Amino acid sequence: MELLSKIATNDGHGENSAFFDGWKAYDSDPYHPTNNPNGVIQMGLAENQLSFDLVQEWVKKNPKASICTSDGSNGFKDIAIFQDYHGLPEFRNAVARFMEKVRGNRVRFDPARIVMSGGATGAQETLAFCLADPGDALLVPAPYYPGNDRDLTWRTGIQLLPVICHSSNDFKITRQALETAYKKAQDSNIKVKGLLLNNPSNPLGTVLDRDTLTESLKFTNDKKIHLICDEIYSATVFARPNFISIAEILQENADCDRDLIHIVYSLSKDLGFPGFRVGIIYSYNDSVVNCARKMSSFGLVSTQTQHLIASMLSDDVFVDRFLSESAKRLGQRHKILSRGLSQVGIGSLKSNAGLYCWMDLRRLLKGPTFESEIELWRMIINDVKINVSPGASFHCSEPGWFRVCFANMDDETVMVALNRIHKFVIQTKGSSSDGINRKQYGRSKLEISLSFRRLDEIMMAPHKMSPHSPMSSPLVRART
Amino acid sequence: MKMEVKNGDSQLLSKLATNNEHGENSPYFDGWKAYENNPFHPTKNPNGVIQMGLAENQLSLDLIEEWIKKNPRASICSPEGVNAFKDIAIFQDYHGLPEFRNAVANFMGKSRRGKVSFDPERIVMAGGATGANELLMFCLADPGDAFLIPTPYYPAFHRDLRWRTRVQLLPVVCESSNNFQITKKALEEAYENAQKANIKVKGLIITNPSNPLGTTMDRATLRTLVTFINDKQIHLVCDEIYAATVHSLDFVSISEVVQEMEDYCNRSLIHVVYSLSKDMGLPGFRVGIVYSYNDIVVNIGRKMSSFGLVSSQTQHLLASMLSDEEFVNEFLSESTKRLASRRGSFTKGLEQVGIRCLESNGGLFCWMDLRKLLKKPTFEDEMGLWSVIINDVKLNVSPGSSFHCHEPGWFRVCFANMDDETMVVALRRIRNFVEKGEDAEVITVKKQNKACQKTLSLSTSQICDENVTMTLSYSSPRVISPHSPIPHSPMVRART
């Protein structure tokens, strides 16, 4: 008899994938500006580390937010014994309010519908448990976040079916692609229970426009299947077009069945607090709220953290300032990276959100194959010494795309990374079998020196940050 | 918001979402409703329902608060600690902070009288013991497989072990005739029944110290269990979340037994569930631990822990606290002392009105024998008596049938979630109820004891008061609130 369960012995956790090699390379040789200047720079980590100074400043000024400071310790006992799975009322209120602010107060969120979970990781799994039976499927537009496979299918036994998106139309989700994916499932006798959207998108960094959202809503409504919207990057939008939440679309389409709509949220990306494990499920379906709440016992947010977050997010002045400043800094960083890349002919998908760029390295592939993509990736890790994430790990249908994160490091490290990329591109062009001529090579050199001057002008470094996260391989991290 | 499942739901939602396996539609929650509608307060509502259905440890939080005041660095929000804020806030490594794992391993070792040491590398986090138990089931059993479980057992195991995992629980019946001890015979019988029914048994799960019994297993019993599971090559999951509610000298952990039986027991079958919710009284912090002797289970469990990691803010605080040797030693010693004292006062108070409890040395509750207060030894009568206790005596206690006890008449009554004054009130109400019941038809009292009890009842109050004096002498200077701020209905609480 098998000693352990099937779940324990299959690969559903997804960590045996070859893609973790990049992380291993980083773990064994992490970059440090002085201790290890030739180490691997971590650009595979979607973390928001740009605005911690604002948070720390707030924390210093608000000792009551902690149950451990002399100002707050009288609240210790009541907080420590509170295990009501509804969560602290002030926590739910503050989170609802925060979500409203992020959406420009264009929608209202009912605190009674806020359900806690173990990070967005736990939120996704809980929703899958509530909405689908083993064997059922959720449609997911590709490319998508690799962790979805583990979060949604590992212990639940459901399957994910990709909705293929193409670079030819900037990876937009079309009604046709949705219908195709749905029909394919029908033909294979697989019951589709819902569609999962990620808006803003990881890895694309784009926001869904009104038409796509409305079309998706109509599609799911027609088929009477669920629509789950993972909006965990909603406050990382740094430029137009504005973020439109499914909550707004629902408001505009009152005849749609609200029982089918569910939002996943978290504070890990927008605020930069992945360690605090603040996952949120917001469902318009009463039974789902009730069921998910019972399930939340498996992953409640620590009341110590609920208390802190409740305090922080109830401070309107802080929240307004944070949201505005964080977006600004993300925008600046995005600009530096995308411009730095384009200066060596590397394009990235035009994006206005997220903590990463979706780099187009198709021209650098030997051939338009995933084997070439892996080869290029290994070169980037081992020679350029940058950990980026290959498109195949996001189930992208076209080889040559790579996600590169920019918000988990300081300005200097970004420069070093760009410098390395520039050098690499020159070398690749120079040694390419296509025979790049010397003239081009010369021109490239000039571009580099010009570009660095321009970079210096663009860069602003009001604060210093640690160049790398302490231990951040996705082998160990809840979410990348 | 509607509570019931709507008509179309069975198609729209999953089976999990529409079955009742979460266990919350049980009639037992009526007691909680009674409390919520009418909660006791010494001055504002002295005739309200006293909450005695809540297994919480509120007796030693003053020690923790005192430590926190003296150790501002433990917080990432204090001026002394805020420089660590960023590093902690971004830390999501599912191994957990090394200092956290070390501190928890150290604490676990100390509460097991230092006879065993725990390897920090085997410490895996989970969303409370609730999450830890579920995680282990996901690792050890497939849907439809079964775990044997001695009765009576903690009601929410029904949800934690079965709901989303689809694992079954098969009872190993324990009887009052031998103080509910687990016998080899009962184990074999349960196992055979499963075989006959073609159900695959993957393991045995025990709680030691026991909830609801409050008893600890002796070494011989633990050895019997280990031998049993080893013979059958099935798993043994030991929920030891009440380990430090008993004096460390009296508690034998499964880890100790495993150590002793090293040569003839497959360690890969042994797994421990732990938590800080009971021993330290911190249920809100959701600190669940899976400690497995099986390397694969540690690895896989760790990956699964992503669904319920402990907040790094909380890890940081506890790492600091539990690394403080002096504090840990003092806390363990003082906490077990206070619990023993409270247990003693309470059971004595009950004895004085002729109510016996199962002899116990651990847990946050007593297992009360009210069989002689039943008209007939049936569960209907048990529910009837329970209703009387809630509505007339105004105490929320938990009837034995909610713990799947096979004999009617047993009730679990918690004593560590209130202050001394409230305990005195509760005992007084029980005394009044029992004395009144001597004349009432509903309760059968042996005639020969009547005279005895009447005499006894005069001196009872004196003795009670003495007990009160005794208990008050050790207790902390602050008054513990007699009820938790927000009603702690198990409908909403992670664990009762």
Side-chain angles (χ1 to χ4, degrees):
Chain A
M1 178 176 71
E2 264 296 330
L3 198 61
L4 303 181
S5 67
K6 292 189 177 70
I7 288 175
T9 48
N10 66 25
D11 274 341
H13 49 74
E15 291 190 25
N16 289 341
S17 143
F19 302 119
F20 287 102
D21 290 352
W23 295 87
K24 290 174 192 159
Y26 169 77
D27 287 342
S28 42
D29 183 23
Y31 170 82
H32 187 276
T34 46
N35 299 345
N36 190 18
N38 293 319
V40 177
I41 297 177
Q42 179 60 279
M43 300 190 87
L45 199 59
E47 266 180 15
N48 182 359
Q49 294 188 27
L50 302 190
S51 303
F52 267 103
D53 55 315
L54 302 177
V55 173
Q56 266 173 246
E57 194 187 306
W58 184 91
V59 165
K60 282 186 183 141
K61 291 192 195 144
N62 292 272
K64 272 211 159 82
S66 163
I67 51 175
C68 297
T69 57
S70 45
D71 285 58
S73 61
N74 285 341
F76 184 88
K77 184 192 168 197
D78 286 347
I79 295 296
I81 65 177
F82 185 89
Q83 52 170 320
D84 180 341
Y85 61 31
H86 287 86
L88 290 168
E90 55 269 30
F91 171 76
R92 287 191 297 162
N93 291 341
V95 170
R97 226 178 132 58
F98 182 73
M99 289 172 70
E100 287 170 359
K101 275 184 180 289
V102 170
R103 290 151 183 76
N105 291 317
R106 294 183 293 274
V107 282
R108 291 258 83 81
F109 286 102
D110 178 2
R113 291 188 177 282
I114 299 273
V115 174
M116 295 180 285
S117 59
T121 303
Q124 302 261 58
E125 188 192 49
T126 293
L127 272 176
F129 271 126
C130 289
L131 306 178
D133 291 318
D136 290 348
L138 288 180
L139 302 180
V140 192
Y144 64 79
Y145 164 60
N148 279 337
D149 293 313
R150 173 198 61 189
D151 300 351
L152 294 160
T153 76
W154 189 21
R155 306 191 306 182
T156 61
I158 72 163
Q159 21 181 346
L160 293 185
L161 301 176
V163 177
I164 308 294
C165 301
H166 300 281
S167 60
S168 51
N169 72 336
D170 291 339
F171 296 97
K172 287 207 163 79
I173 304 163
T174 63
R175 181 71 186 244
Q176 191 182 20
L178 290 171
E179 295 284 359
T180 304
Y182 188 81
K183 183 162 186 306
K184 196 166 169 202
Q186 303 275 73
D187 293 343
S188 315
N189 242 329
I190 300 173
K191 199 199 293 184
V192 174
K193 288 309 288 285
L195 167 67
L196 170 68
L197 296 181
N198 181 213
N199 176 33
S201 162
N202 175 13
L204 304 176
T206 51
V207 296
L208 296 179
D209 57 36
R210 186 168 253 99
D211 287 343
T212 308
L213 284 165
T214 309
E215 208 50 55
S216 302
L217 181 63
K218 292 207 166 110
F219 168 76
T220 52
N221 202 60
D222 285 346
K223 308 278 189 271
K224 288 203 188 357
I225 61 176
H226 295 279
L227 181 57
I228 304 170
C229 294
D230 177 354
E231 298 189 344
I232 68 171
Y233 290 98
S234 49
T236 66
V237 177
F238 49 78
R240 288 189 186 276
N242 284 334
F243 171 64
I244 303 173
S245 165
I246 194 64
E248 292 171 63
I249 303 296
L250 196 57
Q251 227 163 230
E252 293 161 12
N253 292 271
D255 49 345
C256 274
D257 186 359
R258 295 166 75 91
D259 278 346
L260 299 172
I261 316 295
H262 324 275
I263 297 176
V264 167
Y265 191 54
S266 159
L267 299 183
S268 302
K269 308 296 177 181
D270 285 352
L271 282 175
F273 298 160
F276 292 172
R277 313 315 301 146
V278 182
I280 301 292
I281 294 170
Y282 189 95
S283 175
Y284 290 90
N285 182 315
D286 295 351
S287 304
V288 173
V289 170
N290 277 309
C291 183
R293 187 161 281 141
K294 291 170 174 51
M295 288 187 182
S296 68
S297 298
F298 297 109
L300 294 170
V301 177
S302 167
T303 47
Q304 177 188 19
T305 302
Q306 286 187 49
H307 181 79
L308 170 65
I309 298 296
S311 203
M312 198 185 288
L313 300 187
S314 310
D315 184 338
D316 285 340
V317 171
F318 166 76
V319 167
D320 289 341
R321 183 165 169 243
F322 181 91
L323 289 176
S324 140
E325 186 62 23
S326 174
K328 192 168 116 197
R329 294 180 188 182
L330 287 170
Q332 281 165 351
R333 181 57 69 80
H334 171 270
K335 198 189 247 181
I336 289 167
L337 184 70
S338 52
R339 281 202 183 162
L341 291 173
S342 65
Q343 274 151 8
V344 285
I346 295 176
S348 43
L349 185 69
K350 186 155 186 259
S351 65
N352 63 327
L355 310 170
Y356 32 75
C357 290
W358 188 234
M359 262 193 321
D360 182 357
L361 299 184
R362 287 177 291 176
R363 291 183 310 126
L364 298 182
L365 293 183
K366 279 217 184 100
T369 64
F370 286 108
E371 289 75 27
S372 299
E373 181 180 281
I374 293 261
E375 214 184 298
L376 175 59
W377 179 56
R378 289 200 200 285
M379 235 195 298
I380 297 174
I381 293 171
N382 298 317
D383 301 347
V384 192
K385 299 279 197 77
I386 295 180
N387 184 30
V388 295
S389 313
S393 65
F394 295 87
H395 304 273
C396 188
S397 58
E398 303 167 37
W401 294 86
F402 290 74
R403 188 192 78 171
V404 57
C405 300
F406 56 67
N408 61 308
M409 61 190 64
D410 61 18
D411 300 320
E412 287 78 13
T413 310
V414 176
M415 289 286 280
V416 174
L418 281 171
N419 191 11
R420 291 185 186 180
I421 292 171
H422 286 187
K423 281 202 183 115
F424 170 70
V425 171
I426 291 166
Q427 277 162 13
T428 312
K429 280 186 177 165
S431 62
S432 130
S433 54
D434 288 353
I436 304 287
N437 58 38
R438 285 180 188 282
K439 231 166 146 191
Q440 261 185 305
Y441 183 86
R443 219 183 306 148
S444 299
K445 256 181 147 173
L446 190 61
E447 274 177 44
I448 297 294
S449 56
L450 277 177
S451 67
F452 269 118
R453 245 183 273 150
R454 225 178 296 155
L455 275 170
D456 286 338
E457 281 158 24
I458 291 165
M459 299 261 283
M460 283 175 285
H463 55 275
K464 286 237 175 258
M465 283 182 318
S466 92
H468 63 276
S469 299
M471 227 333 243
S472 34
S473 161
L475 277 167
V476 305
R477 290 175 59 256
R479 179 171 273 254
T480 52
Chain B
M1 216 188 301
K2 298 182 273 278
M3 287 288 283
E4 334 79 38
V5 168
K6 297 191 294 200
N7 248 336
D9 278 349
S10 51
Q11 294 297 327
L12 196 61
L13 305 181
S14 67
K15 293 190 177 69
L16 288 182
T18 48
N19 64 26
N20 270 327
E21 298 300 326
H22 48 73
E24 291 188 22
N25 289 341
S26 144
Y28 300 117
F29 291 103
D30 292 347
W32 296 84
K33 289 175 193 156
Y35 169 76
E36 277 167 30
N37 293 335
N38 186 19
F40 170 82
H41 187 276
T43 46
K44 298 186 189 145
N45 190 19
N47 294 319
V49 176
I50 298 177
Q51 179 60 280
M52 302 190 86
L54 199 57
E56 268 181 10
N57 181 1
Q58 294 188 27
L59 301 189
S60 303
L61 285 166
D62 59 310
L63 301 175
I64 296 178
E65 284 169 323
E66 196 186 304
W67 185 92
I68 284 178
K69 287 194 175 118
K70 292 192 198 145
N71 293 271
R73 266 225 155 82
S75 164
I76 52 173
C77 298
S78 64
E80 294 87 340
V82 75
N83 286 340
F85 189 94
K86 182 189 166 197
D87 283 347
I88 296 297
I90 64 178
F91 186 89
Q92 53 169 320
D93 180 342
Y94 60 34
H95 289 85
L97 290 169
E99 54 270 29
F100 172 74
R101 287 190 296 158
N102 292 341
V104 170
N106 180 44
F107 186 77
M108 287 173 73
K110 279 188 182 294
S111 53
R112 287 150 179 80
R113 60 202 188 138
K115 285 275 177 162
V116 278
S117 62
F118 291 87
D119 178 1
E121 299 289 307
R122 291 189 178 282
I123 300 273
V124 171
M125 295 181 284
T130 303
N133 278 308
E134 188 194 49
L135 189 152
L136 273 173
M137 289 301 108
F138 272 124
C139 289
L140 306 178
D142 291 321
D145 290 348
F147 257 73
L148 303 180
I149 183 164
T151 65
Y153 62 82
Y154 166 59
F157 273 153
H158 191 89
R159 170 197 65 189
D160 300 351
L161 302 168
R162 297 172 66 251
W163 190 21
R164 307 191 307 180
T165 61
R166 302 172 180 97
V167 166
Q168 314 187 45
L169 289 181
L170 301 177
V172 177
V173 180
C174 299
E175 289 164 349
S176 60
S177 51
N178 73 336
N179 292 326
F180 296 96
Q181 284 173 91
I182 307 168
T183 62
K184 181 148 195 270
K185 181 163 175 280
L187 287 168
E188 295 286 357
E189 204 176 296
Y191 189 82
E192 260 170 55
N193 289 340
Q195 304 278 75
K196 285 189 200 140
N198 238 332
I199 299 172
K200 201 196 291 181
V201 174
K202 289 309 289 283
L204 166 68
I205 178 164
I206 61 167
T207 304
N208 180 33
S210 162
N211 176 11
L213 304 175
T215 52
T216 49
M217 291 185 199
D218 59 27
R219 187 175 258 101
T221 308
L222 288 168
R223 291 173 76 99
T224 304
L225 299 184
V226 173
T227 306
F228 172 78
I229 56 108
N230 201 55
D231 282 344
K232 309 276 189 272
Q233 282 297 290
I234 61 177
H235 295 279
L236 179 59
V237 174
C238 300
D239 183 336
E240 295 190 342
I241 67 170
Y242 292 98
T245 64
V246 59
H247 195 283
S248 66
L249 289 178
D250 297 335
F251 177 62
V252 180
S253 162
I254 195 67
S255 304
E256 220 180 298
V257 171
V258 162
Q259 215 165 243
E260 287 163 14
M261 296 176 76
E262 189 103 57
D263 299 332
Y264 35 92
C265 155
N266 178 3
R267 293 187 124 205
S268 294
L269 298 171
I270 315 290
H271 323 272
V272 180
V273 166
Y274 192 57
S275 163
L276 298 181
S277 302
K278 308 297 177 180
D279 285 352
M280 294 198 76
L282 307 171
F285 290 178
R286 312 315 303 146
V287 182
I289 302 291
V290 171
Y291 189 94
S292 175
Y293 290 91
N294 182 313
D295 293 349
I296 299 177
V297 173
V298 170
N299 269 308
I300 297 292
R302 189 161 280 143
K303 292 169 178 33
M304 280 189 191
S305 66
S306 297
F307 297 109
L309 294 170
V310 176
S311 167
S312 53
Q313 178 189 20
T314 301
Q315 287 185 50
H316 180 79
L317 170 65
L318 293 170
S320 202
M321 199 186 292
L322 302 183
S323 311
D324 185 339
E325 296 274 332
E326 206 185 302
F327 168 76
V328 169
N329 290 335
E330 200 221 325
F331 181 87
L332 288 174
S333 152
E334 187 61 23
S335 175
T336 50
K337 197 166 108 196
R338 292 180 188 183
L339 285 170
S341 182
R342 176 58 69 85
R343 187 182 300 114
S345 308
F346 191 70
T347 49
K348 213 171 197 171
L350 290 177
E351 259 170 50
Q352 279 155 3
V353 292
I355 294 178
R356 202 187 69 97
C357 289
L358 185 70
E359 201 179 307
S360 66
N361 60 346
L364 308 170
F365 32 73
C366 297
W367 189 234
M368 258 192 326
D369 183 356
L370 300 184
R371 285 178 293 176
K372 60 186 172 86
L373 298 184
L374 297 184
K375 235 193 294 192
K376 291 186 308 293
T378 63
F379 287 109
E380 288 77 27
D381 270 35
E382 180 182 281
M383 290 298 271
L385 174 58
W386 181 53
S387 191
V388 166
I389 296 174
I390 293 172
N391 299 312
D392 298 350
V393 193
K394 302 272 191 70
L395 299 177
N396 184 30
V397 297
S398 312
S401 46
S402 66
F403 296 87
H404 307 271
C405 186
H406 276 237
E407 302 167 37
W410 293 87
F411 289 76
R412 186 191 80 170
V413 57
C414 300
F415 54 67
N417 62 311
M418 60 188 64
D419 58 18
D420 298 316
E421 289 79 11
T422 309
M423 190 193 73
V424 169
V425 175
L427 283 171
R428 192 179 304 134
R429 289 186 187 180
I430 294 171
R431 185 176 73 225
N432 292 342
F433 168 67
V434 172
E435 285 172 4
K436 230 194 301 180
E438 286 170 12
D439 306 321
E441 286 166 28
V442 67
I443 293 160
T444 313
V445 175
K446 296 214 171 105
K447 280 196 178 150
Q448 55 265 42
N449 286 340
K450 227 181 185 176
C452 235
Q453 277 174 329
K454 278 201 173 133
T455 329
L456 202 60
S457 65
L458 281 171
S459 50
T460 303
S461 51
Q462 273 179 328
I463 295 167
C464 258
D465 290 339
E466 274 169 15
N467 284 340
V468 166
T469 320
M470 276 175 1
T471 47
L472 278 173
S473 63
Y474 80 76
S475 67
S476 67
R478 348 174 347 268
V479 176
I480 304 171
S481 92
H483 63 276
S484 301
I486 288 174
H488 277 226
S489 162
M491 272 191 286
V492 304
R493 290 175 60 257
R495 180 172 272 255
T496 51

